[in-house]
PDB file of all heavy atoms in Angstrom:
ATOM      1  N   ARG V 759      -6.593  -1.644 -12.148  1.00 96.00           N
ATOM      2  CA  ARG V 759      -6.792  -0.894 -10.900  1.00 96.00           C
ATOM      3  C   ARG V 759      -6.504  -1.757  -9.674  1.00 96.00           C
ATOM      4  O   ARG V 759      -7.362  -2.020  -8.835  1.00 96.00           O
ATOM      5  CB  ARG V 759      -8.210  -0.342 -10.833  1.00 96.00           C
ATOM      6  CG  ARG V 759      -8.619   0.762 -11.823  1.00 96.00           C
ATOM      7  CD  ARG V 759      -7.512   1.414 -12.503  1.00 96.00           C
ATOM      8  NE  ARG V 759      -7.795   2.821 -12.816  1.00 96.00           N
ATOM      9  CZ  ARG V 759      -6.976   3.575 -13.516  1.00 96.00           C
ATOM     10  NH1 ARG V 759      -5.851   3.102 -13.968  1.00 96.00           N
ATOM     11  NH2 ARG V 759      -7.267   4.839 -13.750  1.00 96.00           N
ATOM     12  N   ARG V 760      -5.246  -2.201  -9.553  1.00 96.00           N
ATOM     13  CA  ARG V 760      -4.775  -2.947  -8.388  1.00 96.00           C
ATOM     14  C   ARG V 760      -3.386  -2.421  -8.027  1.00 96.00           C
ATOM     15  O   ARG V 760      -2.497  -2.383  -8.857  1.00 96.00           O
ATOM     16  CB  ARG V 760      -4.715  -4.445  -8.695  1.00 96.00           C
ATOM     17  CG  ARG V 760      -6.105  -5.044  -8.865  1.00 96.00           C
ATOM     18  CD  ARG V 760      -6.063  -6.460  -9.382  1.00 96.00           C
ATOM     19  NE  ARG V 760      -5.481  -7.369  -8.394  1.00 96.00           N
ATOM     20  CZ  ARG V 760      -5.104  -8.613  -8.706  1.00 96.00           C
ATOM     21  NH1 ARG V 760      -5.222  -9.071  -9.931  1.00 96.00           N
ATOM     22  NH2 ARG V 760      -4.595  -9.386  -7.777  1.00 96.00           N
ATOM     23  N   ARG V 761      -3.236  -1.998  -6.782  1.00 97.00           N
ATOM     24  CA  ARG V 761      -1.948  -1.478  -6.325  1.00 97.00           C
ATOM     25  C   ARG V 761      -0.937  -2.628  -6.202  1.00 97.00           C
ATOM     26  O   ARG V 761      -1.305  -3.741  -5.835  1.00 97.00           O
ATOM     27  CB  ARG V 761      -2.108  -0.779  -4.985  1.00 97.00           C
ATOM     28  CG  ARG V 761      -3.042   0.423  -5.051  1.00 97.00           C
ATOM     29  CD  ARG V 761      -3.421   0.920  -3.679  1.00 97.00           C
ATOM     30  NE  ARG V 761      -4.146  -0.161  -2.979  1.00 97.00           N
ATOM     31  CZ  ARG V 761      -4.341  -0.206  -1.663  1.00 97.00           C
ATOM     32  NH1 ARG V 761      -3.882   0.744  -0.887  1.00 97.00           N
ATOM     33  NH2 ARG V 761      -5.002  -1.217  -1.125  1.00 97.00           N
ATOM     34  N   VAL V 762       0.328  -2.325  -6.484  1.00 98.00           N
ATOM     35  CA  VAL V 762       1.396  -3.320  -6.436  1.00 98.00           C
ATOM     36  C   VAL V 762       2.600  -2.707  -5.726  1.00 98.00           C
ATOM     37  O   VAL V 762       2.987  -1.574  -6.028  1.00 98.00           O
ATOM     38  CB  VAL V 762       1.817  -3.751  -7.865  1.00 98.00           C
ATOM     39  CG1 VAL V 762       2.983  -4.728  -7.809  1.00 98.00           C
ATOM     40  CG2 VAL V 762       0.640  -4.336  -8.630  1.00 98.00           C
ATOM     41  N   VAL V 763       3.181  -3.449  -4.813  1.00 98.00           N
ATOM     42  CA  VAL V 763       4.394  -3.036  -4.118  1.00 98.00           C
ATOM     43  C   VAL V 763       5.326  -4.243  -4.055  1.00 98.00           C
ATOM     44  O   VAL V 763       4.913  -5.330  -3.662  1.00 98.00           O
ATOM     45  CB  VAL V 763       4.093  -2.535  -2.686  1.00 98.00           C
ATOM     46  CG1 VAL V 763       5.388  -2.209  -1.946  1.00 98.00           C
ATOM     47  CG2 VAL V 763       3.157  -1.338  -2.712  1.00 98.00           C
ATOM     48  N   VAL V 764       6.583  -4.039  -4.449  1.00 97.00           N
ATOM     49  CA  VAL V 764       7.588  -5.090  -4.359  1.00 97.00           C
ATOM     50  C   VAL V 764       8.503  -4.759  -3.180  1.00 97.00           C
ATOM     51  O   VAL V 764       9.056  -3.655  -3.105  1.00 97.00           O
ATOM     52  CB  VAL V 764       8.402  -5.204  -5.666  1.00 97.00           C
ATOM     53  CG1 VAL V 764       9.469  -6.280  -5.536  1.00 97.00           C
ATOM     54  CG2 VAL V 764       7.485  -5.507  -6.844  1.00 97.00           C
ATOM     55  N   ALA V 765       8.649  -5.717  -2.272  1.00 97.00           N
ATOM     56  CA  ALA V 765       9.543  -5.563  -1.123  1.00 97.00           C
ATOM     57  C   ALA V 765      10.889  -6.169  -1.499  1.00 97.00           C
ATOM     58  O   ALA V 765      10.957  -7.342  -1.888  1.00 97.00           O
ATOM     59  CB  ALA V 765       8.968  -6.272   0.097  1.00 97.00           C
ATOM     60  N   VAL V 766      11.942  -5.354  -1.423  1.00 95.00           N
ATOM     61  CA  VAL V 766      13.276  -5.787  -1.841  1.00 95.00           C
ATOM     62  C   VAL V 766      14.278  -5.475  -0.734  1.00 95.00           C
ATOM     63  O   VAL V 766      14.255  -4.382  -0.157  1.00 95.00           O
ATOM     64  CB  VAL V 766      13.714  -5.058  -3.140  1.00 95.00           C
ATOM     65  CG1 VAL V 766      15.063  -5.579  -3.619  1.00 95.00           C
ATOM     66  CG2 VAL V 766      12.662  -5.201  -4.233  1.00 95.00           C
ATOM     67  N   ASP V 767      15.146  -6.429  -0.464  1.00 93.00           N
ATOM     68  CA  ASP V 767      16.229  -6.203   0.491  1.00 93.00           C
ATOM     69  C   ASP V 767      17.424  -5.648  -0.270  1.00 93.00           C
ATOM     70  O   ASP V 767      17.867  -6.240  -1.257  1.00 93.00           O
ATOM     71  CB  ASP V 767      16.591  -7.498   1.206  1.00 93.00           C
ATOM     72  CG  ASP V 767      15.461  -7.981   2.101  1.00 93.00           C
ATOM     73  OD1 ASP V 767      14.813  -7.129   2.742  1.00 93.00           O
ATOM     74  OD2 ASP V 767      15.206  -9.192   2.156  1.00 93.00           O
ATOM     75  N   VAL V 768      17.902  -4.491   0.167  1.00 92.00           N
ATOM     76  CA  VAL V 768      19.035  -3.827  -0.482  1.00 92.00           C
ATOM     77  C   VAL V 768      20.140  -3.618   0.545  1.00 92.00           C
ATOM     78  O   VAL V 768      19.880  -3.552   1.745  1.00 92.00           O
ATOM     79  CB  VAL V 768      18.619  -2.470  -1.112  1.00 92.00           C
ATOM     80  CG1 VAL V 768      17.536  -2.665  -2.165  1.00 92.00           C
ATOM     81  CG2 VAL V 768      18.164  -1.483  -0.054  1.00 92.00           C
ATOM     82  N   PRO V 769      21.383  -3.497   0.070  1.00 89.00           N
ATOM     83  CA  PRO V 769      22.485  -3.231   1.010  1.00 89.00           C
ATOM     84  C   PRO V 769      22.278  -1.893   1.730  1.00 89.00           C
ATOM     85  O   PRO V 769      21.775  -0.935   1.139  1.00 89.00           O
ATOM     86  CB  PRO V 769      23.722  -3.155   0.113  1.00 89.00           C
ATOM     87  CG  PRO V 769      23.336  -3.849  -1.157  1.00 89.00           C
ATOM     88  CD  PRO V 769      21.852  -3.648  -1.308  1.00 89.00           C
ATOM     89  N   ASP V 770      22.668  -1.852   2.991  1.00 84.00           N
ATOM     90  CA  ASP V 770      22.595  -0.593   3.744  1.00 84.00           C
ATOM     91  C   ASP V 770      23.351   0.484   2.980  1.00 84.00           C
ATOM     92  O   ASP V 770      24.424   0.240   2.434  1.00 84.00           O
ATOM     93  CB  ASP V 770      23.188  -0.764   5.140  1.00 84.00           C
ATOM     94  CG  ASP V 770      22.311  -1.602   6.054  1.00 84.00           C
ATOM     95  OD1 ASP V 770      21.104  -1.729   5.767  1.00 84.00           O
ATOM     96  OD2 ASP V 770      22.834  -2.135   7.046  1.00 84.00           O
TER      97      ASP V 770
END
Side-chain angles (χ1 to χ4, degrees):
R759 292 345 211 185
R760 291 171 67 193
R761 298 168 298 163
V762 177
V763 176
V764 178
V766 184
D767 293 321
V768 300
D770 288 340

